[in-house]
């Protein structure tokens, strides 16, 4: 591939919506101790 044909899209999402294995941090309860 030519470098000028590659595009990278970055989108910020709230920490509560970060997912691991299909489970968000908010649903897993792991976000409670993280600083905001």
């Amino acid at each position: 591939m030519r470098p000028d044909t590659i595009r990278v899209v970055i989108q910020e999402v709230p920490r509560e919506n970060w997912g691991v294995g299909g489970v968000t941090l908010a649903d897993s309860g792991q976000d409670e101790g993280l600083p905001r």
Side-chain angles (χ1 to χ4, degrees), residues 19-30:
V20 177
V23 179
T24 65
L25 288 177
D27 290 339
S28 70
Q30 294 181 35

Side-chain angles (χ1 to χ4, degrees), residues 1 4 11 15 23-25 31-32 36:
M1 293 189 117
D4 61 328
Q11 177 181 359
R15 182 177 304 215
V23 179
T24 65
L25 288 177
D31 67 333
E32 295 172 2
R36 302 243 173 226

